[in-house]
Amino acid sequence: MPVTPDDASLMDVQQGGRCFFCDGPVGAKATFDHLIPQAYGGIDDPANVVLAHRRCNQRKGDRLPTHGELDRFFALRRSSRLGVWPPLRALRDEEGSEEELWMAVARAIARDR
Ligand SMILES: [Zn+2]
């Protein structure tokens, strides 16, 4: 389900009004970044979305989140109704080459459908 204005407000509070990637203040200019990019099957749902500056969102582009970013995301979402999309957990548990990570994500997305 797409991010509602209520979801976005809650994300803003949980992120302390800061960009997920650079930790700078972002406020009302925040954009929605999909941790697993939509181009690769990432869902448009709060459980896969963080608030970020437009430039940080663009710089991230279509790469996968790093383990450090995933740890940060899981900490933010601990006991939050916004939740964590299961393929993000599968990615966190995977070690290996870039190609192996993409394969693990694809398998996890297929399982989630
Ligand atoms: Zn930023």
Side-chain angles (χ1 to χ4, degrees):
M1 231 196 308
V3 179
T4 66
D6 272 2
D7 296 337
S9 301
L10 182 53
M11 269 181 218
D12 185 49
V13 170
Q14 289 178 346
Q15 290 184 215
R18 297 187 169 270
C19 171
F20 182 78
F21 295 103
C22 75
D23 205 38
V26 63
K29 287 180 299 187
T31 61
F32 298 148
D33 181 79
H34 296 78
L35 286 178
I36 294 178
Q38 286 185 286
Y40 295 97
I43 56 171
D44 186 29
D45 185 284
N48 185 43
V49 168
V50 293
L51 297 180
H53 291 116
R54 182 171 304 280
R55 69 172 183 274
C56 292
N57 192 337
Q58 282 168 348
R59 195 177 298 142
K60 173 173 171 283
D62 281 346
R63 70 166 170 79
L64 288 172
T66 63
H67 280 186
E69 288 165 352
L70 290 169
D71 285 344
R72 202 140 39 87
F73 181 69
F74 297 162
L76 283 171
R77 294 299 163 88
R78 193 163 294 141
S79 67
S80 165
R81 72 164 175 82
L82 297 173
V84 170
W85 191 35
L88 290 166
R89 291 195 192 285
L91 176 59
R92 179 63 187 83
D93 293 340
E94 190 70 22
E95 302 283 349
S97 68
E98 188 71 13
E99 189 179 321
E100 286 165 332
L101 295 179
W102 280 111
M103 291 299 293
V105 165
R107 282 194 304 273
I109 291 173
R111 275 200 304 276
D112 188 68
R113 285 207 175 99

